[in-house]
Amino acid sequence: MANPVRWAHQRWQHVVPFSEAPEGSSPLCPFLPSGRNRNMSRLSSKHRMVVPCSERFREEYEKVTKSYKNNKIRTTKYTLLNFIPRNLFEQFHRAANLYFLFLVFLNWVPVVEVFEKEITMIPLVVVLTIIAIKDGLEDYRKHKLDKVINHILTQVYCSKAKKYVESYWKDVKVGNFIKLKCDEIIPADMVLLHSSDPDGICHIETSSLDGESNLKQRQVAKGYVMDCELDPEMFSSKIHCEAPNSDLGRFKGFLARLEREKIGLSKQNLLLRGCIVRNTEAVVGIVVYAGHDTKTMLNNTGPRYKRSKLERQLNSDILWCVLLLFVMCLFGALGYGIWLAGYPEPPLFILTEPSGERLSPALAAFYMFWTMIILLQVLIPISLYVSIELVKLAQIYIIQNDKDFYCEKSDSLIECRALNICEDLGQVQYIFSDKTGTLTENKMVFRRCSIAGVEYSHEDNAKRLETYQESDLHSEDILDGGVSSKSATCWSKSHSPKSIRSAPSNRSLNKLPTSLEIPGEGDGSARHSRSVAFSSPMEKDVVPDPGLLKKFSSITPHCLYLSKWAEKTTLETSYIIDFFLALAICNTVVVSLPNQPRQKVRMPSIIKTPMKSLEEIKQMFQRFSVRKLSASSLSAGKDPSSETPNSFMNKVPLFSRLKLASPAEGDRTLEGSLNSASEMPLDGLEKSDFANPKDATNKPTTCELYYEAESPDEAALVHAARAYNCTLQSRTPDQVTVEFGFLGPLAFQLLHILPFDSVRKRMSVVVRHPMSNEVVVYTKGADSVIMDLLALTSEDNRTEVLQMEIRTLTQRHLDKYAKGGLRTLCIAKRVMTDGEYAEWLNDHNLAETSIDNREELLYESALKLETDLTLLGATGIEDRLQEGVPETIESLRKAGIKIWMLTGDKEETAVNIAYSCQLLEDTYKIFSITRQERASCEVLVDRIIEDIERHQISNNALTKEETSHNSSFEKENVDFALIIDGKSLDFALQETLEKKFLYITQHCRAVICCRATPLQKSQVVKLVRNSLKVMTLAIGDGANDVSMIQVADVGVGISGQEGMQAVMSSDYAVSHFKHLRKLLLVHGHWCYTRLANMILYFFYKNLMFVSLLFWYQFFCGFAGTSMVDVWMLILFNLIFTSVPPVIYGVLDKDVSADTLLALPELYKSGQTSEAYKKSTFWVTILDAFYQSLACFFIPYFTYFGSGMDIYSFGNFIITATLFVILLHLLIESKSMTWIHWTVLVLSIAAYFIFTLAVDAICLNCMPPANPYWMMQTHMADPMFYLVCVMSVVVALLPRFAFRVFQGTLFPTPQQRAKQLDVMPPGERSSAIKRWFLPNTDNTLFHAVPADGSKPTKEDEEAPCMQSPKDSEYRNYNV
């Protein structure tokens, strides 16, 4: 009984497989198989009031809560009572099923009846039954999971018993108080009211929602942080919050106390259903949303249905078949009417009306029309839909079990979340890719920084990264964590981090049904050996820059006491100190211990400081102020690695002397001590009791710390600060402790945090500085945002000049970093007075307690705080390319796929990465659109179009001249690329410019959209998809890529370092970008060609069979009869010829995988729909007509005038037709395996066994005809074999001859490539090299040599274009 519980717990924490979660499963709720989104339409009001379940509010609680949903969930579609009617209702939404249902009812009408009523129902009943069984089994699995989840136990407060009692999840209601312990799953959305943590902190793991294993902090509502446990009976507040919604990142509400005090509530106070409590002994919360009203359930909207391009084309061709059926039936009805009109007296076999009168020829023809519809119904292939579903399931199975997609690091294969669009993988024309985490590794490594306008290049760190080879991340993490014993090492090898996380703890298991146990969990839960995200040695081991390290080490009292350099050193020191403090505290990093990674590090509330030096330093920071600043300009930022600690003053003479700010009477002794210190020799200071510069950085740390960050950027900056001995030691809701060099631990009072969001593009923390006692705002964010928030004016003109020069130099360094492919961030600060902060806090509290328009109010409040900033510096973080990205992009381009990069990074960073991954090449001529105004952007777009047209005209003229003069000179091929920023992209997406924008992009080999927002990404994909009518694929790894992934025809998510949001909203999930190469070029090609050929084959075989019945009508007076028995009509397409095409659609392989990868241009056949287009469809229809003529008339003329009975004649035709249909499949098959041959033999054997058995036992089945011993008689007649062979040869000869001549005289690329598969390895390699020789003039493979040739006249006239030798690019200037 252990397996069901383990399986259920893993379902909570991992993404469900494709069989459990179809392609549209919620991107944020992987632990539930499906769901219902009907709750939103039933919301009674915009707001909700939650009344606590206690004796004090009993009556009001019962009155209010009865309208809210309980916590029971049901994700199944069906119940025992409604399964049959609802399943049938859903199946009959498919037009084909309605068509066949109509035929069933039509056959019950006596005047048009063709078959026995029950027999007509067999095909439809079989199809409906198969699908119903599949749906029922899937729904039953969901029911079992629902039952397990609903019966998990939790502690619910009972007002009658005055204590917490165990209750099932399904019995939890809104307003209940829930008590949870460590490692327990949260049963419903609830507001946190109490935590055993003295700071009111609760740590939760949200891996079941977003795939992120890093801990998230949640805070007890303000005013409820207490040492003792919350007494529900004493809780006198009511909660007012927004109505249930699906936004996981938002919660708006407030606690209304009896004294009319309002306490704002946000997502930091909300515990979401499905998360797991970690690092906290006990928490208490009150339920605000339960069951299907919880945010996780509302996100689980059920499958998102996507229709493939091939399916859309199939539906249109089925309409053509319907039209063809209508024409054939109309022709038969007219023929029947004309035939009846030729009789002067009604024949005896013609039915009359009930009154005995003769039916008029017109009315008889009308009845015959419907009779022919029933007879020829097989023309519409009912089994095709079932076959397509089976083939797609098999194709998905093959893809998911491809070992080439295996990622050893994550221990995962590809995950196919979409079952119905696998053939679209073979028709992709445009790929839209994110940059960070998709093309790059998303392993952020600190590389460079600029402080106060001086750049520190960190060359030693760069050399480390170049030579660094990460052997085994998991084993290194274990060594870092201190696991050195042999037993611990053995245990860690047998338990991967993934399996450890998935295993439930004993504590949580105790809350599951008691009859179910999991053995082997004993004391294993006490061991902690898990890897921490963003903490590999490559990311942690930052090598400090020597120059900056020397300056940082010089931050000691003696350097401040020197009167000669006191002013200069103090100001530079203040920039360095604030810069590293911002890196260390402006984040949400959780600090943990190595042996217990989930245990938060706590510092004592009163931090012991050095007895003398720290106190003196505090006084000096309070007394010193900048009074005079030099107006000298800053020198260019230079790497100061070889400079002395004070060489900054010599190179950048911008700091003038500092003066003491009116010291108090009691501080004169301090001033005297400073003056006396200035007269001391340096040697004396070095030997004094003050800290030695080396002591601050070389001092060993007491313990190793782990940093659990929500993003790799945060981790990289914290590790960088730690490399300079500015170590983040602990974090609580109201305090951040930093170990800062010789100063020791500094405790910053944490006043407020403004988290990062995609709109503001920045993050801020508000702290009270422990040394100056001032309110300081530290901000980090994108330079495009921070630069606009800097203070433009200052009371001191020299300070203003200083900031302007620092800003200029920093911007220069930022551009340099971006061109080097680094991710850039600006660091800034602001000092506020207590009055300013109090005023801002009051306005911010009003915004927090608002439910309506809260986002707008909070944005305005943040803008008031994050203004008039002082620029401290900037950072450059390296994000390396993933393995195999350049090769993958090169192959995809050779396959005819256009690749766009959509990123939120700076233009220079995006361009540099584009060059690195070969998305851009030196031979390209680049158009750059970066405009802030719509008018100038439109003018620039027009100029680019003129340049493109000018090059086209020039190339056309050269082509004509070459043709007329038979010249052999080489035509210049110009490849264009487009780079556009976010602001210009807004203009380009407007209706007036979008056509011009698309025109430009169609002539560009690469398009890079930088500074793009998530909304812009989705708008770009939608514009290209809808306007150009092309197949699009979007690939990304983060939450900001979700909208783009969902809009594209095919969405691919990468399971990277930013959680699983992209994966859970995608159709396919891979671990690396390089896997896209085989996914498209091999499996995409196979899936498309197999399915396309199988669909055409179904149309062929059904039409051929129906045509035989149609030709027979010419010889039976269009009476609507057939020459074969009813069972053969039903089973021929349903059984005898249905399995071979399914095997063909699953296993046929036109070209091997190695050849498809070596020759990417073979992929183009799918983009142009070579396998299945209108011409091939109509050729197949005509071929079916021809083959039916051969199979019908060869037996007819052979036995013409012989007096053979109808069913004997039909037996000749059906037998020959069976061999023709199966051998036709053999001709079309590109590869044959033992499975193919087995299925073909079994199909033929099944036919003969059935006919022999029926003919042996059917004595009087179809009077007046008698088929008894018919097949046995024919098989004894040599003429039977001769007729069958002749029919097969005549029918298949044209197609066979065409395939032979095609493969010999004008082979397709696939047929040419097929020959490579049978060559020896040496010859095959040479043949692949020669493959491209005839196509050297193709621009797809043509590269202009960068040999220093002179630029053309067009190059000189186009200032926006890049010359072949220049790797930079220039913008248009309008």
Side-chain angles (χ1 to χ4, degrees):
M1 297 300 290
N3 291 335
V5 179
R6 183 182 295 275
W7 173 76
H9 192 83
Q10 291 175 348
R11 287 291 298 276
W12 278 103
Q13 303 201 32
H14 292 83
V15 182
V16 292
F18 73 91
S19 61
E20 294 292 328
E23 70 280 359
S25 60
S26 167
L28 298 168
C29 188
F31 54 88
L32 293 171
S34 68
R36 300 167 292 177
N37 198 28
R38 56 179 180 267
N39 305 284
M40 296 300 294
S41 61
R42 299 183 181 181
L43 298 178
S44 58
S45 64
K46 192 174 182 180
H47 299 160
R48 156 178 293 203
M49 183 176 70
V50 178
V51 179
C53 180
S54 61
E55 288 294 335
R56 177 182 300 184
F57 299 100
R58 174 173 295 277
E59 294 183 2
E60 187 177 3
Y61 168 78
E62 294 177 353
K63 180 179 179 181
V64 173
T65 309
K66 66 180 181 180
S67 61
Y68 300 149
K69 294 181 180 297
N70 61 17
N71 204 41
K72 183 178 180 179
I73 64 167
R74 184 173 69 86
T75 60
T76 57
K77 287 183 181 179
Y78 312 109
T79 65
L80 290 176
L81 295 178
N82 70 4
F83 173 73
I84 294 178
R86 182 168 182 175
N87 186 264
L88 291 177
F89 177 77
E90 291 181 350
Q91 291 201 54
F92 283 121
H93 273 73
R94 180 173 286 176
N97 289 340
L98 284 176
Y99 165 77
F100 285 101
L101 180 65
F102 169 73
L103 295 181
V104 169
F105 287 121
L106 190 64
N107 194 62
W108 284 61
V109 179
V111 293
V112 296
E113 179 183 358
V114 177
F115 313 123
E116 296 181 13
K117 300 177 178 63
E118 296 78 7
I119 295 178
T120 312
M121 299 172 60
I122 291 178
L124 181 62
V125 170
V126 170
V127 172
L128 295 179
T129 302
I130 292 174
I131 297 178
I133 292 174
K134 178 183 71 72
D135 293 343
L137 291 176
E138 180 180 352
D139 213 53
Y140 180 67
R141 287 195 295 267
K142 296 178 185 178
H143 169 72
K144 291 195 298 183
L145 178 59
D146 289 346
K147 187 175 180 180
V148 172
I149 294 173
N150 287 327
H151 286 79
I152 297 177
L153 292 173
T154 190
Q155 296 283 331
V156 181
Y157 181 77
C158 178
S159 58
K160 293 182 180 180
K162 305 296 181 182
K163 63 178 182 179
Y164 290 94
V165 297
E166 286 191 343
S167 179
Y168 290 127
W169 275 24
K170 65 177 183 178
D171 298 325
V172 173
K173 297 180 180 179
V174 173
N176 283 152
F177 291 92
I178 305 295
K179 183 178 181 180
L180 297 172
K181 296 182 181 180
C182 187
D183 297 331
E184 288 187 348
I185 303 173
I186 301 169
D189 294 353
M190 61 187 198
V191 172
L192 182 61
L193 298 178
H194 171 75
S195 172
S196 59
D197 187 287
D199 299 311
I201 285 293
C202 171
H203 292 85
I204 61 173
E205 184 177 305
T206 61
S207 58
S208 59
L209 300 184
D210 53 22
E212 298 179 6
S213 58
N214 292 320
L215 295 185
K216 308 294 190 305
Q217 285 188 354
R218 293 296 180 262
Q219 176 69 49
V220 171
K222 294 180 182 178
Y224 287 91
V225 179
M226 58 187 72
D227 296 333
C228 59
E229 185 173 325
L230 176 74
D231 185 0
E233 294 297 336
M234 300 301 293
F235 185 78
S236 59
S237 304
K238 299 177 184 177
I239 296 178
H240 297 262
C241 59
E242 58 186 346
N245 61 78
S246 60
D247 192 347
L248 287 170
R250 185 192 74 186
F251 176 66
K252 298 187 294 187
F254 61 86
L255 271 167
R257 291 187 170 182
L258 295 180
E259 54 271 20
R260 297 188 178 181
E261 178 188 359
K262 291 184 178 180
I263 300 176
L265 299 174
S266 66
K267 69 174 183 179
Q268 294 299 321
N269 310 117
L270 187 67
L271 304 182
L272 295 179
R273 176 190 174 105
C275 299
I276 303 175
V277 178
R278 301 289 191 196
N279 257 17
T280 312
E281 290 301 323
V283 296
V284 175
I286 182 172
V287 177
V288 290
Y289 307 124
H292 288 280
D293 282 344
T294 57
K295 291 181 178 290
T296 52
M297 292 300 297
L298 291 175
N299 268 283
N300 195 21
T301 57
R304 183 184 72 260
Y305 185 75
K306 285 186 177 181
R307 284 176 47 185
S308 66
K309 181 180 179 181
L310 189 61
E311 184 180 352
R312 294 193 296 268
Q313 188 173 352
L314 167 65
N315 291 336
S316 64
D317 289 339
I318 284 182
L319 293 178
W320 282 111
C321 289
V322 172
L323 179 62
L324 183 61
L325 176 64
F326 179 83
V327 171
M328 295 173 69
C329 295
L330 182 62
F331 189 88
L334 292 175
Y336 183 69
I338 296 173
W339 181 69
L340 280 183
Y343 284 91
E345 295 293 333
L348 296 177
F349 53 84
I350 299 300
L351 296 177
T352 60
E353 293 183 356
S355 59
E357 298 180 1
R358 174 188 177 185
L359 286 173
S360 64
L363 183 59
F366 175 77
Y367 289 153
M368 184 52 61
F369 174 83
W370 297 108
T371 301
M372 296 290 288
I373 288 286
I374 299 173
L375 180 67
L376 306 181
Q377 62 176 297
V378 184
L379 181 59
I380 310 300
I382 186 174
S383 58
L384 175 60
Y385 291 101
V386 179
S387 301
I388 288 176
E389 288 191 12
L390 294 176
V391 168
K392 287 184 177 181
L393 283 175
Q395 289 175 345
I396 291 297
Y397 177 82
I398 293 173
I399 294 175
Q400 289 199 142
N401 288 273
D402 190 336
K403 295 182 179 179
D404 290 341
F405 293 129
Y406 176 71
C407 176
E408 183 177 1
K409 182 177 178 180
S410 61
D411 190 23
S412 62
L413 289 165
I414 188 174
E415 181 183 358
C416 303
R417 303 174 59 85
L419 305 182
N420 57 338
I421 58 171
C422 55
E423 64 272 23
D424 280 349
L425 294 173
Q427 298 182 280
V428 173
Q429 296 164 280
Y430 279 76
I431 291 180
F432 300 90
S433 174
D434 180 38
K435 182 185 74 69
T436 304
T438 303
L439 301 178
T440 61
E441 292 181 342
N442 201 19
K443 284 188 176 181
M444 306 302 177
V445 183
F446 185 84
R447 275 286 287 109
R448 309 171 80 106
C449 69
S450 172
I451 305 176
V454 178
E455 184 196 9
Y456 303 94
S457 58
H458 293 74
E459 295 296 338
D460 293 338
N461 195 47
K463 294 177 182 178
R464 177 186 71 90
L465 295 176
E466 291 176 359
T467 59
Y468 187 86
Q469 291 184 355
E470 196 171 9
S471 59
D472 187 357
L473 179 62
H474 176 56
S475 62
E476 288 177 356
D477 285 338
I478 292 176
L479 292 176
D480 290 341
V483 181
S484 57
S485 65
K486 183 176 180 180
S487 59
T489 304
C490 297
W491 180 88
S492 63
K493 287 181 180 180
S494 61
H495 295 76
S496 66
K498 182 175 180 180
S499 63
I500 295 171
R501 285 195 298 270
S502 63
S505 66
N506 292 330
R507 190 186 301 258
S508 60
L509 284 176
N510 290 336
K511 298 305 176 184
L512 292 173
T514 54
S515 60
L516 302 178
E517 297 179 0
I518 294 181
E521 293 294 332
D523 57 351
S525 60
R527 295 168 178 165
H528 296 272
S529 179
R530 63 184 308 279
S531 60
V532 179
F534 323 132
S535 62
S536 68
M538 182 182 69
E539 296 166 293
K540 292 194 302 182
D541 300 339
V542 179
V543 179
D545 183 87
L548 181 56
L549 180 62
K550 191 174 293 185
K551 290 184 179 182
F552 191 89
S553 302
S554 300
I555 304 176
T556 58
H558 82 274
C559 69
L560 299 177
Y561 296 161
L562 300 178
S563 61
K564 182 178 179 180
W565 295 305
E567 172 193 350
K568 305 175 185 178
T569 306
T570 301
L571 190 54
E572 181 189 12
T573 297
S574 67
Y575 273 90
I576 295 176
I577 290 175
D578 283 325
F579 180 83
F580 283 105
L581 285 177
L583 297 189
I585 68 177
C586 189
N587 51 65
T588 58
V589 173
V590 177
V591 186
S592 55
L593 295 174
N595 56 344
Q596 293 178 321
R598 291 309 192 188
Q599 182 62 41
K600 183 180 65 176
V601 174
R602 180 176 300 284
M603 299 295 291
S605 57
I606 300 178
I607 299 178
K608 295 182 179 181
T609 60
M611 298 182 65
K612 291 184 179 180
S613 59
L614 181 57
E615 184 65 22
E616 293 173 353
I617 294 300
K618 288 184 178 181
Q619 294 177 7
M620 286 189 298
F621 269 80
Q622 294 171 3
R623 296 299 179 184
F624 279 126
S625 64
V626 179
R627 291 300 181 92
K628 295 182 180 180
L629 293 173
S630 172
S632 303
S633 60
L634 287 168
S635 62
K638 182 181 179 181
D639 180 15
S641 1
S642 61
E643 298 176 0
T644 61
N646 294 324
S647 62
F648 175 82
M649 308 300 113
N650 302 326
K651 298 296 183 181
V652 189
L654 59 92
F655 301 111
S656 62
R657 301 177 59 108
L658 290 174
K659 292 186 178 180
L660 288 173
S662 301
E665 186 70 23
D667 293 333
R668 290 180 180 176
T669 56
L670 176 60
E671 183 178 359
S673 65
L674 289 174
N675 292 333
S676 63
S678 64
E679 298 175 358
M680 292 176 59
L682 288 177
D683 295 340
L685 283 175
E686 293 294 339
K687 297 177 182 179
S688 65
D689 294 335
F690 295 115
N692 193 325
K694 295 182 180 180
D695 294 341
T697 54
N698 296 336
K699 178 177 61 178
T701 57
T702 56
C703 66
E704 186 77 10
L705 299 176
Y706 274 170
Y707 296 134
E708 302 206 36
E710 295 186 11
S711 70
D713 300 79
E714 285 191 343
L717 297 180
V718 174
H719 289 308
R722 186 178 184 181
Y724 288 93
N725 207 22
C726 179
T727 305
L728 175 63
Q729 292 286 355
S730 69
R731 179 185 299 277
T732 65
D734 54 2
Q735 181 177 288
V736 177
T737 304
V738 177
E739 180 82 23
F740 193 91
F742 83 101
L743 298 178
L746 301 178
F748 292 81
Q749 182 184 358
L750 187 58
L751 302 178
H752 222 95
I753 295 179
L754 297 181
F756 177 88
D757 62 65
S758 59
V759 178
R760 291 169 41 248
K761 296 184 179 179
R762 58 188 180 272
M763 174 190 179
S764 297
V765 294
V766 186
V767 297
R768 186 171 295 278
H769 204 288
M771 308 181 73
S772 64
N773 203 36
E774 294 175 324
V775 176
V776 183
V777 181
Y778 288 110
T779 303
K780 68 177 181 182
D783 59 307
S784 60
V785 176
I786 299 296
M787 291 297 184
D788 295 335
L789 299 175
L790 299 179
L792 300 178
T793 60
S794 175
E795 296 179 358
D796 191 334
N797 183 53
R798 294 180 179 180
T799 303
E800 181 180 344
V801 173
L802 168 65
Q803 270 295 300
M804 289 299 296
E805 292 175 345
I806 292 179
R807 177 176 180 176
T808 301
L809 285 176
T810 303
Q811 186 62 58
R812 188 182 304 169
H813 298 153
L814 286 168
D815 295 339
K816 178 182 178 181
Y817 296 166
K819 290 178 181 178
L822 303 183
R823 292 167 59 89
T824 58
L825 281 176
C826 280
I827 311 298
K829 65 172 283 189
R830 177 191 176 188
V831 179
M832 303 177 68
T833 65
D834 289 344
E836 289 174 336
Y837 174 70
E839 181 182 356
W840 174 84
L841 184 60
N842 183 55
D843 296 338
H844 192 74
N845 287 336
L846 292 177
E848 283 185 330
T849 56
S850 174
I851 297 180
D852 299 324
N853 302 322
R854 173 183 281 195
E855 286 78 10
E856 294 80 0
L857 295 175
L858 289 176
Y859 178 80
E860 294 175 1
S861 176
L863 193 59
K864 293 178 182 178
L865 181 74
E866 299 164 332
T867 187
D868 294 334
L869 302 176
T870 299
L871 182 62
L872 298 176
T875 61
I877 298 176
E878 180 180 4
D879 189 11
R880 301 193 303 179
L881 277 181
Q882 289 186 17
E883 179 187 358
V885 169
E887 296 80 3
T888 301
I889 290 180
E890 181 183 6
S891 296
L892 295 177
R893 280 182 148 176
K894 289 181 179 180
I897 301 175
K898 287 192 174 183
I899 302 176
W900 291 28
M901 180 194 293
L902 310 181
T903 178
D905 279 348
K906 284 173 60 70
E907 178 181 343
E908 295 83 1
T909 304
V911 169
N912 184 276
I913 294 297
Y915 275 110
S916 300
C917 67
Q918 298 182 10
L919 185 61
L920 294 180
E921 297 180 8
D922 292 338
T923 57
Y924 288 3
K925 296 192 174 181
I926 298 177
F927 301 112
S928 180
I929 305 178
T930 54
R931 288 294 176 266
Q932 298 298 319
E933 296 180 359
R934 185 184 180 282
S936 61
C937 182
E938 188 170 0
V939 172
L940 182 57
V941 168
D942 292 336
R943 289 185 59 185
I944 294 175
I945 293 176
E946 291 176 2
D947 280 330
I948 293 176
E949 292 175 346
R950 184 169 66 251
H951 279 275
Q952 286 182 327
I953 294 173
S954 175
N955 289 338
N956 292 337
L958 289 174
T959 303
K960 291 180 180 179
E961 184 177 352
E962 181 181 358
T963 304
S964 60
H965 295 86
N966 197 19
S967 302
S968 59
F969 62 86
E970 191 171 315
K971 180 177 67 175
E972 180 185 8
N973 293 277
V974 180
D975 291 323
F976 302 112
L978 175 66
I979 300 171
I980 184 170
D981 67 354
K983 188 67 176 179
S984 302
L985 189 59
D986 272 336
F987 303 139
L989 294 175
Q990 294 177 3
E991 187 175 356
T992 54
L993 283 180
E994 63 179 21
K995 292 184 178 179
K996 295 180 180 180
F997 172 67
L998 287 175
Y999 176 83
I1000 294 174
T1001 59
Q1002 284 181 281
H1003 291 83
C1004 294
R1005 288 205 67 190
V1007 177
I1008 300 175
C1009 301
C1010 46
R1011 295 296 192 193
T1013 64
L1015 179 60
Q1016 287 178 325
K1017 291 182 179 182
S1018 62
Q1019 289 175 338
V1020 168
V1021 176
K1022 187 182 298 184
L1023 175 65
V1024 173
R1025 186 197 66 188
N1026 296 338
S1027 300
L1028 302 183
K1029 306 299 181 184
V1030 292
M1031 183 68 64
T1032 59
L1033 180 147
I1035 179 171
D1037 74 315
N1040 59 335
D1041 303 316
V1042 168
S1043 57
M1044 172 180 71
I1045 289 173
Q1046 291 179 334
V1047 165
D1049 295 294
V1050 180
V1052 179
I1054 291 184
S1055 52
Q1057 305 244 32
E1058 292 192 7
M1060 302 288 286
Q1061 297 97 324
V1063 168
M1064 287 182 272
S1065 63
S1066 64
D1067 303 309
Y1068 299 89
V1070 296
S1071 55
H1072 298 290
F1073 183 85
K1074 66 179 182 180
H1075 292 158
L1076 207 60
R1077 181 169 174 243
K1078 187 172 185 181
L1079 180 64
L1080 297 184
L1081 302 186
V1082 177
H1083 291 287
H1085 174 82
W1086 284 347
C1087 289
Y1088 169 72
T1089 54
R1090 290 166 173 171
L1091 204 59
N1093 291 331
M1094 188 198 76
I1095 291 173
L1096 288 174
Y1097 180 77
F1098 261 94
F1099 282 127
Y1100 150 77
K1101 75 180 186 70
N1102 283 33
L1103 179 61
M1104 181 187 174
F1105 185 76
V1106 166
S1107 298
L1108 297 174
L1109 301 177
F1110 181 72
W1111 305 137
Y1112 178 71
Q1113 302 308 309
F1114 287 88
F1115 302 94
C1116 67
F1118 299 96
T1121 58
S1122 64
M1123 66 287 189
V1124 293
D1125 62 88
V1126 174
W1127 285 106
M1128 186 58 64
L1129 287 176
I1130 299 298
L1131 300 180
F1132 186 85
N1133 281 293
L1134 196 61
I1135 294 180
F1136 302 143
T1137 60
S1138 61
V1139 179
V1142 172
I1143 301 301
Y1144 172 61
V1146 173
L1147 300 178
D1148 192 48
K1149 188 182 298 184
D1150 57 346
V1151 186
S1152 66
D1154 293 338
T1155 304
L1156 288 172
L1157 292 175
L1159 302 174
E1161 68 170 10
L1162 298 176
Y1163 185 81
K1164 295 179 182 178
S1165 61
Q1167 296 172 329
T1168 55
S1169 301
E1170 292 294 331
Y1172 186 8
K1173 49 187 178 181
K1174 291 298 180 184
S1175 59
T1176 55
F1177 172 76
W1178 288 110
V1179 166
T1180 301
I1181 296 300
L1182 294 176
D1183 191 27
F1185 274 121
Y1186 164 76
Q1187 293 186 22
S1188 65
L1189 288 171
C1191 290
F1192 183 88
F1193 285 101
I1194 288 178
Y1196 173 80
F1197 287 114
T1198 301
Y1199 291 99
F1200 181 77
S1202 64
M1204 177 180 289
D1205 65 273
I1206 294 176
Y1207 288 113
S1208 296
F1209 174 64
N1211 190 53
F1212 275 82
I1213 295 176
I1214 290 299
T1215 304
T1217 301
L1218 176 70
F1219 281 99
V1220 169
I1221 288 177
L1222 295 180
L1223 292 178
H1224 177 102
L1225 181 63
L1226 193 63
I1227 293 174
E1228 293 300 309
S1229 296
K1230 311 302 186 300
S1231 61
M1232 294 296 294
T1233 64
W1234 66 270
I1235 300 178
H1236 289 82
W1237 291 111
T1238 301
V1239 170
L1240 288 175
V1241 171
L1242 289 178
S1243 297
I1244 296 173
Y1247 167 77
F1248 280 100
I1249 291 174
F1250 175 81
T1251 52
L1252 289 172
V1254 170
D1255 292 349
I1257 62 177
C1258 188
L1259 300 176
N1260 193 21
C1261 297
M1262 293 164 285
N1266 184 14
Y1268 180 74
W1269 217 250
M1270 181 178 62
M1271 177 60 77
Q1272 288 82 344
T1273 303
H1274 289 167
M1275 293 183 68
D1277 185 5
M1279 184 63 69
F1280 172 77
Y1281 299 99
L1282 181 61
V1283 170
C1284 289
V1285 170
M1286 187 180 300
S1287 300
V1288 171
V1289 171
V1290 174
L1292 296 178
L1293 184 61
R1295 176 165 290 269
F1296 180 77
F1298 172 76
R1299 291 302 183 197
V1300 171
F1301 284 115
Q1302 182 190 44
T1304 305
L1305 302 179
F1306 45 94
T1308 64
Q1310 286 72 26
Q1311 290 173 328
R1312 291 173 53 202
K1314 184 68 176 177
Q1315 299 174 6
L1316 301 178
D1317 294 335
V1318 297
M1319 293 182 178
E1323 295 182 12
R1324 182 176 179 273
S1325 301
S1326 301
I1328 290 177
K1329 294 179 181 179
R1330 295 193 303 269
W1331 178 277
F1332 299 102
L1333 291 180
N1335 299 324
T1336 52
D1337 59 337
N1338 192 334
T1339 57
L1340 181 63
F1341 305 102
H1342 183 75
V1344 179
D1347 55 0
S1349 58
K1350 294 182 178 180
T1352 62
K1353 183 178 180 181
E1354 289 80 1
D1355 296 336
E1356 298 172 351
E1357 294 177 350
C1360 69
M1361 294 185 177
Q1362 177 187 349
S1363 64
K1365 291 188 65 178
D1366 191 6
S1367 63
E1368 303 293 333
Y1369 60 92
R1370 300 179 296 274
N1371 296 342
Y1372 271 116
N1373 295 316
V1374 180

